[in-house]
Each structure stands twice: as structure tokens, then as C-alpha cells.
Amino acid sequence: MTDPTAAWAALMRVHATLVPALDRELQRTHGLPLTWYDVLAELDEAPHRRLTMGDLGDVAMVSRSRVSRVVDELVDAGLVTKESNPADGRSAYAVVTTQGRRRLRQARPSYLAAVERGFTANLSIREAETVARALGKVLAAGGPDD
Amino acid sequence: MTDPTAAWAALMRVHATLVPALDRELQRTHGLPLTWYDVLAELDEAPHRRLTMGDLGDVAMVSRSRVSRVVDELVDAGLVTKESNPADGRSAYAVVTTQGRRRLRQARPSYLAAVERGFTANLSIREAETVARALGKVLAAGGPDD
DNA sequence: TGTCTCTGTGTGCGTCAGCACGCACCCGGG
DNA sequence: CCCGGGTGCGTGCTGACGCACACAGAGACA
């Protein structure tokens, strides 16, 4: 209980058990790998539903280099298009297509339900808020430490 | 703030940023991949400092099949030995060697310090306890849900 | 304009992960 | 005795991942 790393250990275990379950769920019900869902969700809530590859790599949970490949796959699937940035010839925007948004809207309930079943349902409101706030602080400080 | 998945999203992000940092730290300071550390730690605190491959796969954060390869690597490195179970010819025990325990003892401070810097230091005592307890409940219920 | 540096991307390559499968072994019924 | 099903384990194969690098464009400066 008083083990200072208990919280961290529990976090790793929760992640290890829940992420594969979520991935399977999404893939089974909607044919969407968790990575795709994550990228689509990030793009969907971005200013003009678009993000440069670099920004996408920063905000999503995949490395900068992996973003190129995932976006390529999404383009092949018709869920995303790539547009060039007229102001910067190097930069490339990834933009969600209407089909991509539709797939995202269809998949979101499953995702939320799975998170609810495997995570939120086991927490009280206060606990969920505390966890979110605490981990938010970790993230805010997470930049320089490592 | 009231987003019910905020806690989960934060958890995934914390994991995504902290785990690679931890792995690098361990590998740089002691030449131990995080997977090795995890397996060694689990074995070290097991009843007779030994665990069958299956149990190890359940308790550690690697899949059952991956355990075989990791343990083989640890055996090659002299940190673990494999003993046969006289009561069951199929079963095989992985046992930490004294050298393995020494490496673990040497690495543990670095690991704890890294967790402290990147995680615990940003939380109050009460927050850390709440997070640990809340995630513990998730784990306890984690069996049947997925 | 020419050049030097910095930044945003894409990609070849090695590593690491898990799944599906096969083998060896235990155990119970006929 | 044996033989069928269940279990623990190792391994071939395939996909996911990130690092290091190469390349193109942008911007500063003379």
C-alpha cells in the first residue's frame, strides 16, 4: 500500500491488460486498429480537421516516423487524404475524409463502451477525476524530466 | 474535465511517454531492457525465487510466448537458470541466479529514481494512494470484462 | 544569387511483439 | 495397457515499431 511505486506498477498492468483488449474490440467490431482510431480521433478534433505529420506524431501515441506509414494506410483505406501546405513545401497535412469521420463516429461508441466496461466502471466519479487530474499533472511535467 | 475517458486517455499518454524513458534509462545505466527487469523482479519476489513459464507469462507484462525467448536471453546472460519440475515433465521453472539478483539490486535504485522523477514526484501522497487504489480496483475487476 | 543551416518528411533496416501451431507430457476411461 | 483429450512449453512466421539516415524545401545572410 505504502509502496511508492504501487501506483506506477498498477498503471503499467492496467495498460498491459486493457490496450490489447481495446485493440481487439475495435478491430473485431469495426476493422479499425487502435492506432488508426487514435490518429483519426486526433485529426478529427484538430482545428481544421487536419494536422501536419510532425504535429500528429507529437500528439498521437505513435512515433513521428510511424505516422507516415499509418497515414499512408489510412489514405489507401480512403479515410484520410494528404494535402500539401501552400505556405511550406516540405510540410504535408493529413486531413480526415468524410468517410473517415463516418468510420470514427461508428466506432466511437464501441470504444467508449469498452473503456467504460474495462476501466471507468470500476472507479467512482471522484476517483476518476482524481486519476485524470493527477496523471494530467504528470503529463504537464513530463516534458523536461526524462 | 468531465470527459469520462479523460482518465483513460491520460493513462495511455503517461504510459507512452514514461515507458520508453524508463527503458532507455535502465538500458543506458545497467544494460537491462525493461522486459528483463520486469521478469527478474517478478521472479525475485516469487515464493522460491522461481516461477513456471506459464505463471511468469501471466504475472509479467509480456505474453506467454514471449517469455520463452526472454528467459532464454536471460539464461544466456547468466541471470536466470531453468530447472525442470520433477512432478511434471512438461513444466519448466525459471530461477533467478545470484548474479541475476545482484544485477537487479544494482538496477533497482535507478528504476525507482526514474519512476520518482517522472511520475511520483508530480503527485501528492494522497493522489498517489488514490491512483494506486483506483487502478488496483480496475485490475481486480479486469479478469472477466475483456 | 549562392550557400549554409535548420526543419519537416519519408524510408531501409534491425528489433521486438504476439499468434498459430506442433511437440512432449500428464491424466482419466475403457 | 492404451489411447484420447487437455496442458505446458518452444518456435516459425508475420506484422508493428522506432532509429538512423537521406532528401527537399525554407530562411538567414553576405
Side-chain angles (χ1 to χ4, degrees):
Chain A
M1 307 288 182
T2 58
D3 178 5
T5 66
W8 171 247
L11 189 151
M12 288 192 71
R13 288 184 182 283
V14 169
H15 177 96
T17 61
L18 220 51
V19 164
L22 268 179
D23 192 26
R24 290 178 190 286
E25 172 79 6
L26 275 175
Q27 194 125 15
R28 182 178 61 82
T29 59
H30 297 90
L32 281 180
L34 187 56
T35 310
W36 287 25
Y37 183 90
D38 180 36
V39 167
L40 286 177
E42 294 293 347
L43 288 178
D44 187 56
E45 66 187 17
H48 290 342
R49 311 202 183 290
R50 73 189 53 203
L51 241 36
T52 67
M53 305 298 271
D55 292 342
L56 188 53
D58 288 343
V59 71
M61 278 165 312
V62 292
S63 73
R64 271 185 177 79
S65 68
R66 184 99 249 279
V67 167
S68 294
R69 297 187 156 94
V70 173
V71 168
D72 283 348
E73 295 169 9
L74 287 168
V75 168
D76 288 344
L79 307 182
V80 160
T81 56
K82 293 181 69 173
E83 298 185 5
S84 58
N85 182 354
D88 187 335
R90 299 166 299 179
S91 184
Y93 281 118
V95 191
V96 201
T97 65
T98 54
Q99 186 183 351
R101 297 192 63 196
R102 183 165 54 239
R103 289 284 294 275
L104 184 62
R105 276 200 309 273
Q106 291 171 345
R108 180 164 280 147
S110 298
Y111 179 80
L112 297 180
V115 172
E116 170 68 20
R117 285 202 320 272
F119 188 73
T120 321
N122 304 299
L123 273 49
S124 70
I125 305 290
R126 283 193 57 79
E127 282 174 332
E129 287 176 353
T130 300
V131 170
R133 181 160 27 86
L135 296 183
K137 293 201 303 181
V138 171
L139 283 175
D145 60 19
D146 45 335
Chain B
M1 305 292 180
T2 58
D3 177 5
T5 66
W8 171 247
L11 189 151
M12 288 193 71
R13 289 184 181 282
V14 168
H15 177 95
T17 62
L18 221 51
V19 164
L22 268 180
D23 191 28
R24 291 179 189 285
E25 173 80 5
L26 240 52
Q27 194 125 15
R28 183 178 60 82
T29 59
H30 297 90
L32 282 180
L34 187 55
T35 309
W36 286 26
Y37 183 90
D38 180 36
V39 168
L40 286 177
E42 294 293 348
L43 287 179
D44 188 54
E45 66 186 18
H48 289 341
R49 311 201 182 291
R50 73 189 53 202
L51 241 37
T52 68
M53 305 300 271
D55 292 342
L56 188 53
D58 289 342
V59 70
M61 278 164 310
V62 292
S63 73
R64 269 185 177 80
S65 66
R66 185 99 251 279
V67 167
S68 295
R69 303 188 208 272
V70 173
V71 168
D72 281 350
E73 295 169 9
L74 287 169
V75 168
D76 288 344
L79 308 182
V80 161
T81 55
K82 293 181 70 173
E83 297 186 4
S84 57
N85 183 352
D88 189 335
R90 299 167 297 178
S91 183
Y93 282 117
V95 192
V96 203
T97 65
T98 53
Q99 186 183 352
R101 298 192 61 196
R102 183 164 54 239
R103 288 285 292 276
L104 183 62
R105 277 201 308 272
Q106 292 171 347
R108 179 164 280 146
S110 297
Y111 179 80
L112 296 180
V115 172
E116 170 68 21
R117 286 203 318 273
F119 188 73
T120 321
N122 304 300
L123 272 49
S124 70
I125 304 290
R126 282 194 57 79
E127 282 173 334
E129 286 176 355
T130 300
V131 170
R133 182 161 26 87
L135 296 183
K137 291 202 302 182
V138 172
L139 284 174
D145 62 20
D146 45 335

